[in-house]
């Protein structure tokens, strides 16, 4: 998997079925059952879904919205304005906190789809609504931290109804500086890439 895994110490210091299958019936948004799924192959790469309670990665996020109305990998209807995302291996659904490394802005996102499948250090595909809320829609692609979390029941209910959770305060400057240094030490830059890649 591409991306940079953060060690547990970094986590404490700061406190990776196919997507968009068209047509068919839709499952109502729900957090049960949680689906892990079997290994699958896309464009010659094998992905092995697995539970990962300590998931904490640095990489790039992109966004997608043209699949509006299609079926997500866990059977729900894809709604581009909702705060959702696609990930290659985390269980469906999984909740994550996504932090934009350029600004320190953070949002809570519900993963209900599979992707991204473009080679490179992209670790998550955000819905258009999530990209807008994180402030990265115009850039198309942005450096991020993705960390698995357990949101409150109230936050879950909001996301399941297509509403964003209350705005989170940005990460502190010392934490943001540490994340940026780790990102750049892995050979990636916070300022790029900025062009949205075609496809998923």
């Amino acid at each position: 998997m591409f991306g940079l895994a953060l060690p547990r110490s970094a986590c404490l210091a700061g406190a990776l079925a196919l997507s968009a299958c068209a047509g068919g019936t839709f499952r109502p948004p729900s957090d049960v059952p949680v689906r892990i799924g079997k290994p699958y192959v896309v464009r010659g790469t094998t992905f092995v879904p697995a539970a990962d309670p300590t998931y904490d990665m640095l990489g790039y996020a992109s966004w997608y919205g043209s699949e509006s109305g299609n079926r997500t990998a866990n059977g729900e209807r894809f709604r581009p304005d909702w705060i959702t995302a696609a990930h290659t291996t985390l269980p469906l659904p999984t909740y994550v906190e996504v932090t934009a490394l350029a600004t320190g802005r953070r949002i809570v996102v519900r993963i209900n789809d599979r992707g991204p499948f473009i080679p490179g250090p992209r670790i998550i595909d955000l819905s258009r609504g999530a990209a807008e809320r994180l402030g990265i829609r115009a850039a198309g692609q942005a450096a991020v931290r993705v960390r698995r979390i357990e949101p409150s029941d109230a936050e879950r209910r909001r996301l399941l109804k297509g509403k964003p959770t209350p705005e989170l305060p940005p990460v502190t400057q010392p934490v943001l500086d540490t994340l940026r240094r780790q990102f750049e030490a892995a050979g990636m830059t916070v300022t790029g890439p900025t062009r949205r890649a075609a496809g998923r």
Side-chain angles (χ1 to χ4, degrees):
M1 172 181 286
F2 297 101
L4 171 64
L6 293 178
R8 300 266 330 215
S9 58
C11 299
L12 296 174
L16 263 244
L18 303 181
S19 65
C21 300
T25 58
F26 299 103
R27 170 179 182 250
S30 174
D31 284 348
V32 291
V34 174
R35 302 176 180 188
I36 294 178
K38 297 178 180 179
Y40 62 97
V41 179
V42 176
R43 299 172 190 160
T45 299
T46 300
F47 299 93
V48 183
D52 188 353
T54 63
Y55 185 91
D56 195 342
M57 296 279 287
L58 295 174
Y60 292 108
S62 54
W63 65 269
Y64 66 119
S66 60
E67 293 86 350
S68 178
N70 283 353
R71 190 172 180 267
T72 65
N74 75 341
E76 298 173 4
R77 181 188 295 272
F78 175 64
R79 297 171 171 90
D81 294 331
W82 287 28
I83 313 301
T84 60
H87 191 277
T88 54
T89 60
L90 287 174
L92 303 176
T94 292
Y95 289 88
V96 293
E97 179 186 278
V98 183
T99 303
L101 299 188
T103 62
R105 193 170 181 176
R106 300 182 296 153
I107 61 170
V108 177
V109 178
R110 181 173 178 268
I111 294 173
N112 69 345
D113 207 356
R114 289 289 181 224
F117 301 123
I118 298 295
R122 280 170 52 181
I123 58 174
I124 195 168
D125 266 351
L126 301 174
S127 66
R128 183 178 62 218
E132 288 174 348
R133 189 152 180 87
L134 192 60
I136 68 165
R137 184 180 175 189
Q141 216 167 215
V144 295
R145 176 193 193 184
V146 178
R147 181 174 69 94
R148 185 189 177 279
I149 61 167
E150 287 292 343
S152 67
D153 289 343
E155 290 173 322
R156 289 172 183 267
R157 285 193 297 269
R158 289 186 64 85
L159 289 169
L160 284 168
K161 293 178 181 178
K163 300 176 181 178
T165 61
E167 189 166 344
L168 297 171
V171 296
T172 64
Q173 193 62 47
V175 170
L176 190 57
D177 290 342
T178 297
L179 293 173
R180 289 171 175 170
R181 284 195 297 269
Q182 291 173 334
F183 198 82
E184 290 168 356
M188 297 182 284
T189 61
V190 172
T191 56
T194 58
R195 180 180 174 275
R196 184 183 183 199
R200 298 186 54 213

